[in-house]
Amino acid sequence: MTATAPPFGPLPAAPRRPLAVAGLLTALLGAVLGMLLATAAPASAHAALTGSDPQDGSVVATAPSEVTLTFSEQVAVGKDSIRVLDPSGERADTQADPLDLNSGSTVKYGVALRDGLPEGTYTVAWQAVSADSHPVSGAFTFSIGAPSSTTVALPDGEAGGGLVGTLYDIARYAAYAGFIVLAGGAAFVLACWRRGAGARPLQRLVVRGWLTLTAATIAMLLLRHPYTGSGKLGDAFDLNGLKAVLDTKPGAALVSRLLLLGASALFVAVLFGAYAKREDPREKKDLTFGLAVGGAVIAVGIAGTWALAEHASTGIQPGIAMPVDVLHLLAVAAWLGGLAALLTALYRTPDLTASAVRRFSAIALVSVSVLAATGLYQSWRQVGTWSALTGTGYGQLLLVKVGLVAVLVGIASMSRRWTGRLAAGPAPDETGTGAPAGSDAAADADVAVGADAVAEAEETAGAEKTAARSETDSAPQDPVRAAQLARQRAAVATAEKKRIRDADPGRSGLRRSVLAEVGVAVVLLAVTTILTSTEPGRTEEEARSSAAAPAAPAANGPVSLTLPFDTGGENGKGTVRLDIDPGRTGANSIHLWIDDPAKKPMDVPEVKLALTLKSKDIGPLPAVPARLAEGHWTATGLQLPIAGDWTVAVTVRTSDIDQATVTKNAKIG
């Protein structure tokens, strides 16, 4: 029996120059990222509430006619997207469709309020869909007249949470994984190992990728309505809700993806059908070109369904961001999907050629370069500043993703070294004519060692086959027995292939390395999926800086101030003691005492008060105290609408011509 050398054999390790180049490239990209983050301009890529009227925590003297909300970017709202609830939990708005108050670049919506609303604390709960397809929600309170107790509980969860949110995130992850396996596996067959089109393990891998992506897309389409609306799983089969989803940009993208998946099913059928069986080299070459062009168009189209409906479609430079996002996703598919195909081939197809592994290694290197460039741009666009990179959830997740990519690249460098150790022996090329043997003596010796190992394995297998044939010849022609022997022979053949495969240390090392790559890739894909549903750091920082100042915590008691004064006239010196009770937003009463230098009550002809909140350009709000007793003045019903540092101005007149105004800041919470 003639033994053939395995396709892989142990050669000396490849030079480490690619590692040095990769390190230099990483350093250069890091420097560029630093410059981009340092010079970033503000922008949005995920809707956030930037203001409201009335403001959160404010107290207004009379009931407003409407409540308005201002957002950082375009949002989709519908009936009940904005609800105003009175202290008892009843609707205080007219329950009509939201008012479109957009003007220029200002995105504003509102709801009209009912007439005759009583005093108390009102809750505004809102929910909308951001332009990048993700639901956003929130709630705040304001008071009419004075704060009061309320039976309304602010919602704990965010939009898109709960069981429906979990299922939607799982479907989103499965969709990414299915596309990567489908596109990357098909690309591996066409670009790296065309004979793999006839390999059942690779066929099953790509078909499962198609099935996964199709099922996940259908699930996302059904879950879209409850995901952005009620949050109830039963609404997934609401036909009216499904119809509403189809009229949205994300719904149209999902339907387009399903149509493209229909075309991809035809592509897969031809690839593993007519193409796998084609023998004529010229016909196969023409069919390869046709499949490559058609497959590329379908892959770009499917990748575009993500770019058209998510982060890339909104914010700054969408015309650049969407093509970059498509290129990024295709590079991910070529690398990680090719890894999945390579791992399958290494474990399940012993006839995988060394040339196929080398081709994939080159494609992976190009894919990593594309990923680095496109990822750098996406990071700048979605984060923008160093503070957002380290101080927001999106930025921290992005750092985790970068770390995982670094680990993946490190493991990939080990795989490249194993690829560099592949034997240049007589492995068949894609046309089946055979590759030329290497001329260096070390390689020939290693190939001979591999050949001896395989020859030994085949000799053992041959003895088992001879015994099986002898048993078959001596046994009666029993169909059951014949079937049993056929299964035994198939098992022997499978064991023989496994021995040939495991006899090659180069293949085993590469298999372990690729398995580690795939393991890290699975985690990396999960982090990427979470990123797609996380508010970008750039937008989060913008919302923080532009949102209205939140109400300060309530004071523990009245605010007390002491203000010395000197009107300049006779008996013009004294001290004003002032109490503002309760010292919170809403109605307050003021007690004012005037003492002479001997700390005895001092009568004056007139006292006036005024309060100003300079940070919000509110005031001065006047108050005219009434005299209660010698040196004691009071004012009631002073409305302070917003918490903050108020400037209290007290004007004291001690004669017809002598008066002075003294000021002091008071924190009203």
Side-chain angles (χ1 to χ4, degrees), residues 296-308:
V297 171
I298 294 172
V300 169
I302 295 177
T305 61
W306 274 282
L308 288 171

Side-chain angles (χ1 to χ4, degrees), residues 93-152:
D93 59 276
T94 59
Q95 302 188 38
D97 291 335
L99 305 172
D100 187 344
L101 305 175
N102 293 331
S103 176
S105 60
T106 302
V107 181
K108 181 185 290 188
Y109 291 91
V111 290
L113 299 183
R114 293 187 285 104
D115 296 331
L117 294 178
E119 292 188 350
T121 297
Y122 289 74
T123 302
V124 181
W126 60 271
Q127 181 169 330
V129 180
S130 174
D132 59 5
S133 82
H134 300 295
V136 290
S137 64
F140 63 90
T141 62
F142 70 93
S143 300
I144 299 175
S148 70
S149 60
T150 176
T151 60
V152 180

Side-chain angles (χ1 to χ4, degrees), residues 408-500:
L408 197 56
V409 171
I411 301 174
S413 67
M414 297 173 58
S415 297
R416 283 182 61 81
R417 289 206 298 271
W418 281 113
T419 302
R421 296 166 67 110
L422 300 183
D429 63 11
E430 293 301 324
T431 62
T433 58
S439 59
D440 105 28
D444 292 339
D446 288 334
V447 170
V449 171
D452 290 341
V454 175
E456 181 180 352
E458 290 186 346
E459 183 178 353
T460 303
E464 294 176 355
K465 286 182 177 180
T466 301
R469 281 196 298 269
S470 300
E471 185 177 352
T472 302
D473 295 338
S474 61
Q477 297 300 318
D478 182 3
V480 176
R481 181 58 176 164
Q484 182 182 11
L485 291 175
R487 289 194 297 270
Q488 290 177 351
R489 285 195 293 271
V492 170
T494 301
E496 179 181 358
K497 288 183 179 181
K498 185 177 184 301
R499 282 195 297 270
I500 294 174

